[in-house]
Amino acid sequence: MSALNLNHICLAGRLTRDPVLRKTSAGTPVADIGLACHETYADKTGKQAQHTHYFDVVAWNKSATTVAEYLTKGDPLIVEGSLVSEQWETQQGEKRNRVRIRAGRIHFLGAKREKTETPCRPGKPPTSRAPISNDDAFGAL
C-alpha cells in the first residue's frame, strides 16, 4: 500500500513589507517576504465580507536576490511552493514553532515600469514575465 504525499501551495497576494535579503553562513542568499491574501465570502447575513490572511514566505538563491532587487511593499505576486514547519528553542529555553512557505516559483504580477518611471530599487525591472525559479528551491539551511 502506498501513501499519497503532497505538499504544494499556490497563493496570490501583495507584499506586506519590502523583502529582507540576507545570506547564510555558507553565502547562500535568502529573502524573507510577507504576503497578504484577501478572502471574500458571504457572512451570516448574506453581506459580502473580506478577511485578510498573512503568510511568511522564504525564497532562496536567485529567487531571493531577484525578489529583493525588484519588489517592494504592496507589489502583487504569485508564490508557488511548499509548507515548511520549523521548530527551535529560545535562549530562555522556550520551545517555538512556525509554518512558513518555501517558495519554489515566484511570478511577478505588476505592470512593466516605463523608462520615465524611477524604480524603487536600483537596476531595471525584469523584462520577462516568466516565473523566477530556484535552481535549488530548498537552499541550504
Side-chain angles (χ1 to χ4, degrees), residues 28-138:
T28 304
V30 182
D32 294 311
I33 305 164
L35 187 67
C37 301
H38 303 295
E39 175 186 12
T40 304
Y41 60 95
D43 65 13
K44 292 179 183 179
T45 65
K47 289 175 41 178
Q48 192 173 24
Q50 187 177 53
H51 181 75
T52 303
H53 300 277
Y54 298 95
F55 300 95
D56 290 323
V57 179
V58 62
W60 293 88
N61 301 313
K62 184 154 175 65
S63 290
T65 56
T66 304
V67 162
E69 184 175 354
Y70 296 113
L71 296 180
T72 58
K73 179 180 177 177
D75 285 343
L77 69 152
I78 295 174
V79 174
E80 291 183 71
S82 58
L83 296 175
V84 178
S85 175
E86 300 172 347
Q87 300 158 353
W88 70 95
E89 194 171 306
T90 66
Q91 291 179 343
Q92 295 77 25
E94 300 170 325
K95 293 186 179 186
R96 303 281 186 195
N97 60 52
R98 68 178 169 191
V99 175
R100 294 198 299 177
I101 297 165
R102 181 174 39 215
R105 285 186 172 187
I106 298 175
H107 305 264
F108 290 9
L109 296 178
K112 200 162 110 177
R113 291 187 179 104
E114 297 296 322
K115 288 184 181 183
T116 57
E117 291 183 67
T118 306
C120 295
R121 301 258 187 219
K124 62 179 186 173
T127 55
S128 169
R129 302 283 294 178
I132 306 167
S133 183
N134 287 321
D135 297 329
D136 173 15
F138 302 106

